[in-house]
Amino acid sequence: MRARERRVIEAVAACLGPAPDPRLLAAAIGTAAGATGCALVVAGERYQWGEGGQWLEQVVTHGGEPQGVLAIAPESVGPMPGVAAVLGLPLAVIRLTTETDRLRRDGDAAARRLVDDRWRAAAEMEQERRGLERDLHDGAQHHLVALRMRLALVEHTGRGVDDLLDRLDTAERVLIDTAGGVLPVALVTGGLAAALRAELASHTDVTLDIDELRRRYPSVVESAVYFVCMEAVNNAHKHAPGAAITLSARDSYRGLEFTVTDNGPGFVVRSSSGLRNLTTRAADVGGTVEITSAPGKGTQVSGFVPL
């Protein structure tokens, strides 16, 4: 064995420990060999000391299996089979450590992705649940309130049973469609104006001013505004029974504008007044809703969704 190779083996032995450092090994080998550069390639990673040029590469094996590559520059340093043999076990340890760390990182990343997916799925389910809750509140409840009013009338006069049964059938259909995520047919086929007419034209206490509403909007916008208007009318029916209600909607150069007003007793508007559904639903499509009211001065719900 040449003296140079013996010095390199001694330098390698001095660097070995429970967890060999490939960078320290490369520096020790290169320095002891009088090379300008030395590199160890293990598990796809290259650990280099010094500068290269014409590299002389030797495969390092252990147990009959390749563990890495020893590269020396310049080539004139010559092959060092004894050094390659001594490096077999240290490179095997380095390879196993590197691959274990890589698998652990991949496993951690996969676990984080799984947690993220679970959170995302839970958030989507919660969003759908809240959406269904809002749709039931804003749409189906309108029919239930009308039924209550009609029932009171039947009880008082003894007339209107057939109309009451028709309204029961309509409420049942709306509940089933809403639970199934089905939008009103008139809203899907005819747009916002058609849906408002279909739902409110039969209400003698509601005046529709929607002749200037001709444009079609994305379905999410039309459904959001539809349910906001339905809840505003429903709130007027509940809290201002007998009041005259006017629903206005029109296209403007800026977007879709709508208002629901009543001449009922009014109230003091507070942030916790139960009108959060209105503002949340409008905000979901980039719109705004403002509620103005005062005791004795009625209530106005005004909204806007920009183009």
Side-chain angles (χ1 to χ4, degrees):
M1 180 181 296
R2 294 179 301 172
R4 174 185 291 175
E5 192 169 3
R6 188 179 298 109
R7 290 198 305 271
V8 173
I9 292 174
E10 292 174 353
V12 168
C15 292
L16 295 181
D21 187 329
R23 292 181 178 82
L24 291 178
L25 280 173
I29 293 169
T31 301
T36 60
C38 178
L40 294 173
V41 182
V42 188
E45 300 288 340
R46 185 180 180 89
Y47 307 96
Q48 182 171 324
W49 169 86
E51 298 297 329
Q54 296 296 319
W55 293 91
L56 175 66
E57 296 185 349
Q58 302 172 76
V59 177
V60 178
T61 63
H62 178 72
E65 298 291 332
Q67 304 299 327
V69 174
L70 167 64
I72 295 287
E75 290 180 322
S76 58
V77 173
M80 294 183 288
V83 175
V86 170
L87 284 173
L89 181 58
L91 263 59
V93 173
I94 294 169
R95 180 182 64 80
L96 289 173
T97 301
T98 302
E99 292 177 350
T100 300
D101 289 343
R102 186 176 298 158
L103 288 172
R104 182 165 51 247
R105 289 195 300 270
D106 292 345
D108 291 344
R112 286 193 297 271
R113 286 195 298 270
L114 179 59
V115 171
D116 290 343
D117 289 343
R118 286 177 175 173
W119 276 108
R120 189 177 299 109
E124 289 174 354
M125 290 175 62
E126 176 65 13
Q127 186 175 5
E128 290 180 3
R129 186 192 67 78
R130 288 184 179 275
L132 178 58
E133 178 184 2
R134 287 203 305 264
D135 289 349
L136 287 170
H137 179 274
D138 301 349
Q141 185 172 262
H142 161 73
H143 294 275
L144 297 178
V145 171
L147 276 172
R148 179 183 296 174
M149 295 171 62
R150 181 60 60 179
L151 183 60
L153 181 62
V154 170
E155 183 180 14
H156 180 69
T157 65
R159 297 190 301 273
V161 175
D162 292 339
D163 179 63
L164 180 62
L165 292 175
D166 290 340
R167 290 178 180 271
L168 278 170
D169 291 338
T170 300
E172 181 183 15
R173 173 182 53 79
V174 170
L175 281 170
I176 293 173
D177 288 348
T178 303
V182 180
L183 293 173
V185 174
L187 181 62
V188 175
T189 59
L192 180 58
L196 292 174
R197 287 191 181 97
E199 289 295 327
L200 298 173
S202 62
H203 290 258
T204 57
D205 59 345
V206 179
T207 300
L208 293 177
D209 179 16
I210 56 177
D211 290 340
E212 296 183 30
L213 181 59
R214 304 183 181 91
R215 184 187 295 143
R216 289 300 304 265
Y217 296 87
S219 60
V220 290
V221 173
E222 290 185 338
S223 62
V225 175
Y226 170 81
F227 283 116
V228 168
C229 290
M230 295 302 293
E231 182 177 2
V233 171
N234 182 55
N235 287 337
H237 279 152
K238 285 195 301 183
H239 303 298
I245 304 169
T246 300
L247 192 159
S248 303
R250 70 185 186 94
D251 305 318
S252 75
Y253 72 94
R254 298 188 305 132
L256 172 57
E257 301 175 2
F258 58 94
T259 60
V260 177
T261 59
D262 69 69
N263 61 355
F267 64 100
V268 177
V269 179
R270 297 186 177 89
S271 59
S272 59
S273 60
L275 301 174
R276 187 175 304 166
N277 269 355
L278 299 174
T279 55
T280 299
R281 190 182 288 277
D284 287 344
V285 293
T288 57
V289 167
E290 181 179 358
I291 300 97
T292 56
S293 184
K297 295 187 177 181
T299 301
Q300 175 172 288
V301 177
S302 54
F304 172 71
V305 179
L307 289 174

